[in-house]
Amino acid sequence: MATLVALLVGLVVLVGSVSSAKFDELFQPSWALDHFAYEGELLKLKLDNYSGAGFQSKNKYLFGKVTIQIKLVEGDSAGTVTAFYMSSEGPTHNEFDFEFLGNSTGEPYSVQTNLYVNGVGNREQRLNLWFDPTTEFHSYSIFWNERHVVFMIDETPIRVHANLEEKGIPFPKDQAMGVYSSIWNADDWATQGGRVKTDWSHAPFVATYKGFEINACECPASVTADDIAKKCRSSTEKRYWWDEPVLSELNLHQSHQLMWVRANHMVYDYCSDTARFPTVPTECVHHHH
C-alpha cells in the first residue's frame, strides 16, 4: 500500500512528467479575468448574474494524474455548477468531467462525473458527497493510464472506467488533453432537475482553489497525434510511473472504498437508466464496478 500511495502522489517521478502547486506555472485564465481573485496561494473564481469564469492549463497531457484542491460555493449554491475536467479538442474529443452541482442550503452537494470517448458522452454518474465540500478544501483527482481512468476524491476512488478494447469498446488513449475548471450558472438543469433556480441575491458565488498538481506526460503542440501515444508510453528506454504494474488496477482497499461509495452515496448511474438506455450500454455489461 505504501508503494501504491507513493506512486499515486507522484513521489516516483520518471521521464516526461511535471508537477507543481503554483497556478500560474501550469494554468492561465481563459475567460472573465475580472471574475478572478488571487489571495496568496488561493485562487477564487466568482459567478454573478453577469458572468462566470474559467481557466485552463497551458499545456496538454496524455496519461498521469491531475489534482486540484477546491472549496466549493458556500451557502445557497442552487443553480451553480463548478467543473473540473480534462478534455481534448475537436468533434471526436475525449473528456473526463467532475461537475459539482450546487443546492439549497442544508441539502447535500452532489458531484456528477461523465466521460466522452471519441465525441460520445452520456455516461453520467451522480453521487451525494459524504462531507460538506464548502467548509474546507478537498482534493479532486483524475488518474489515467492505458488500463483505466480513475476519478478520486481525497484519494478515494469514486469511479473507474476500464479499458475494454478487447470487447470492441473504444478507450481514450491517443488524444492529449488540457485541464480546465470553471464556474457557471446552470439553473436550467443543475439543481433538482432545474426546479430550483439560482438566487442572485446571494451572488457572488465563489469557488476557491489551491494545490494545483499535474504529474503527467506533457505533449507540446509540436508533437504529432501519431507520436503522442508513443511519447507517453513506457518502453525499454524509459519507464513512466503511471505504467507501473501496481497501478494497472485498484488494490483491494481501493476496491472496497469504491464499493462503499457506490453502495452508500450513488444517486444516479447511466448504466441502470433503462428509460434512457433500453439496451444496457456495452461497457456497463463488462465493467466489474
Side-chain angles (χ1 to χ4, degrees):
M1 183 62 188
T3 304
L4 180 74
V5 171
L7 286 166
L8 280 175
V9 298
L11 299 179
V12 179
V13 179
L14 303 177
V15 182
S17 60
V18 296
S19 188
S20 175
K22 289 191 175 177
F23 173 80
D24 56 5
E25 289 179 13
L26 296 173
F27 294 95
Q28 59 197 16
S30 48
W31 52 288
L33 273 66
D34 60 343
H35 283 57
F36 281 69
Y38 301 90
E39 298 178 6
E41 66 169 5
L42 303 182
L43 167 67
K44 296 187 174 184
L45 296 191
K46 294 185 286 187
L47 165 68
D48 56 29
N49 55 353
Y50 297 103
S51 179
F55 62 82
Q56 65 188 62
S57 59
K58 295 179 178 179
N59 296 302
K60 290 184 168 59
Y61 305 90
L62 184 75
F63 306 140
K65 187 181 182 187
V66 177
T67 299
I68 296 182
Q69 295 178 47
I70 309 173
K71 185 161 64 171
L72 293 168
V73 177
E74 293 183 42
D76 184 350
S77 56
T80 70
V81 172
T82 305
F84 163 46
Y85 62 103
M86 298 185 72
S87 183
S88 57
E89 298 174 356
T92 58
H93 76 294
N94 298 329
E95 185 175 328
F96 312 143
D97 298 332
F98 277 103
E99 292 179 312
F100 303 97
L101 311 180
N103 218 329
S104 305
T105 305
E107 295 293 316
Y109 233 102
S110 59
V111 58
Q112 178 168 286
T113 57
N114 197 5
L115 292 97
Y116 285 75
V117 184
N118 296 339
V120 180
N122 297 324
R123 297 180 175 90
E124 298 91 348
Q125 293 182 357
R126 195 175 290 188
L127 307 171
N128 283 339
L129 293 171
W130 53 94
F131 53 85
D132 183 346
T134 71
T135 56
E136 55 189 42
F137 288 93
H138 292 267
S139 67
Y140 303 95
S141 305
I142 299 166
F143 171 73
W144 175 31
N145 62 17
E146 288 191 275
R147 300 294 299 273
H148 54 196
V149 181
V150 184
F151 293 79
M152 290 179 281
I153 297 179
D154 295 331
E155 297 301 308
T156 294
I158 65 162
R159 181 173 186 170
V160 174
H161 185 80
N163 185 335
L164 296 170
E165 288 180 305
E166 77 279 2
K167 307 290 187 184
I169 298 166
F171 183 80
K173 64 173 190 177
D174 56 5
Q175 296 182 37
M177 303 170 82
V179 185
Y180 303 85
S181 187
S182 56
I183 183 171
W184 78 93
N185 177 43
D187 68 3
D188 57 330
W189 66 272
T191 304
Q192 297 178 33
R195 287 189 297 275
V196 183
K197 303 300 183 181
T198 304
D199 183 347
W200 293 111
S201 70
H202 294 142
F205 302 98
V206 178
T208 308
Y209 299 77
K210 69 174 185 176
F212 304 90
E213 295 179 47
I214 297 178
N215 191 346
C217 184
E218 190 175 307
C219 298
S222 58
V223 178
T224 65
D226 292 341
D227 290 334
I228 284 174
K230 195 184 303 179
K231 175 186 186 298
C232 297
R233 187 178 290 131
S234 295
S235 65
T236 50
E237 293 86 35
K238 62 184 184 294
R239 273 216 71 77
Y240 291 117
W241 67 270
W242 51 85
D243 287 330
E244 292 301 304
V246 71
L247 295 178
S248 65
E249 60 185 11
L250 299 186
N251 64 27
L252 187 60
H253 175 64
Q254 291 174 312
S255 295
H256 287 159
Q257 287 180 312
L258 179 60
M259 287 189 286
W260 175 82
V261 168
R262 290 180 62 88
N264 294 285
H265 299 284
M266 179 170 281
V267 293
Y268 177 81
D269 182 4
Y270 79 106
C271 285
S272 54
D273 188 341
T274 53
R276 283 178 70 197
F277 304 102
T279 302
V280 177
T282 313
E283 69 261 28
C284 299
V285 175
H286 297 291
H287 266 129
H288 298 305
H289 300 293

